[in-house]
Amino acid sequence: MSRTPFVAGNWKMHKTIAEAEEFITGLLPLAGAIDDVQIGVCVPFTAIQAVVDSTRGSSIEVYAQNVHAAEKGAYTGEISIAMLDELEVHGVVVGHSERRQLFNETDADLRAKVPALLAAGLTPIFCVGETDAQREGDETEAVLRTQVTEGLADVADEDLAKVTIAYEPVWAIGTGKVASPQQAQDACAFIRSLVADRSAAAAEAVRIQYGGSVKPDNAQELLALPDVDGALVGGAALEPQNFAAIVQAARA
Ligand code: 13P
């Protein structure tokens, strides 16, 4: 079975509304009509409305970068799924290593967030990945097993393929130290085997992105790997030409 590649740009804490609109103006002529690659931009909350409006009618999907699992309540500073759904986002990035490390997002938080997003019809881009010390300590598979098993524990087997999983080794994020094709393939294949432990059909269908120092000049090699179905791109997604070049690299 062939899986449609999915390339998403995670802007992190970059771009005001004006800068976001400038990016979309640059991206639309380069990638706005591509229909053989799923394309997403993961946008700061403040620019979501503007980007949803400026991408309407194009093939560019809009994602938020975090969400709270609770329906509503006394959670000062948090944003609910209903608030994002109202803005017509396509989905939300959850479990990014920056949120895990800097803002204490836990596997238990993700266990609540992922099914809550699916229940609302939104796509979670669910991030997992080991640190440098964990890789050096030969703990990569154990870490991925815990993150995938716990984060997806409350997703029904038949819904697993609605999740996009992003394998982002922490040591490759923002470092220019990209995973080797073998490392990326091995980890993504291992993640797929974890999904297969729950459902063979879901494992066949689920998209697994690689993220961590993806650039226009290394994207093609990574995206050609059998178990890599796309990319989650940080730094190289901040500029339309670079991002569009990575999208092009995902085309068959
Ligand atoms: P870089 O592409 O800047 O390494 O960032 C990857 C990332 O964290 C995407 O979520």
Side-chain angles (χ1 to χ4, degrees):
M1 159 179 178
S2 66
R3 296 177 288 268
T4 303
F6 178 18
V7 175
N10 176 11
W11 293 354
K12 309 191 180 183
M13 197 173 75
H14 293 280
K15 298 194 190 296
T16 62
I17 293 174
E19 289 164 347
E21 288 185 326
E22 190 185 339
F23 176 95
I24 297 299
T25 301
L27 183 65
L28 284 175
L30 301 174
I34 289 176
D35 59 4
D36 51 356
V37 178
Q38 189 178 343
I39 306 169
V41 285
C42 311
V43 174
F45 290 127
T46 47
I48 287 175
Q49 181 72 71
V51 175
V52 166
D53 289 342
S54 57
T55 54
R56 194 165 272 124
S58 78
S59 59
I60 316 289
E61 298 172 348
V62 183
Y63 293 73
Q65 298 176 13
N66 186 31
V67 72
H68 197 285
E71 207 180 308
K72 60 175 79 165
Y75 302 103
T76 300
E78 292 295 313
I79 299 286
S80 73
I81 291 171
M83 293 169 187
L84 294 176
D85 200 22
E86 185 179 42
L87 295 179
E88 301 174 60
V89 301
H90 197 90
V92 182
V93 178
V94 292
H96 193 281
S97 63
E98 289 151 14
R99 295 222 59 91
R100 291 179 188 260
Q101 292 191 326
L102 304 173
F103 303 101
N104 301 318
E105 188 170 37
T106 64
D107 290 326
D109 293 330
L110 294 159
R111 181 173 179 155
K113 289 182 186 190
V114 176
L117 285 166
L118 292 173
L122 300 183
T123 298
I125 300 180
F126 167 64
C127 304
V128 297
E130 80 288 357
T131 64
D132 196 25
Q134 288 164 337
R135 178 163 282 270
E136 290 305 313
D138 219 9
E139 295 165 37
T140 299
E141 292 198 349
V143 169
L144 295 176
R145 180 184 296 279
T146 300
Q147 291 175 337
V148 171
T149 305
E150 296 194 7
L152 301 182
D154 289 339
V155 176
D157 290 354
E158 61 270 23
D159 288 338
L160 284 169
K162 296 178 185 164
V163 179
T164 293
I165 303 175
Y167 169 61
E168 296 207 308
V170 179
W171 48 269
I173 294 177
T175 58
K177 199 173 135 190
V178 65
S180 70
Q182 191 69 55
Q183 288 170 324
Q185 168 58 25
D186 287 351
C188 291
F190 178 70
I191 290 166
R192 197 176 303 284
S193 79
L194 296 172
V195 177
D197 290 343
R198 304 256 318 264
S199 160
E204 213 21 58
V206 72
R207 265 92 53 83
I208 305 178
Q209 299 170 319
Y210 167 79
S213 296
V214 176
K215 306 291 175 198
D217 63 2
N218 61 26
Q220 198 153 17
E221 188 175 29
L222 291 160
L223 290 164
L225 297 165
D227 284 294
V228 174
D229 307 313
L232 185 56
V233 185
L238 291 174
E239 198 268 323
Q241 280 75 20
N242 285 336
F243 184 56
I246 295 169
V247 171
Q248 288 292 348
R251 304 184 81 180

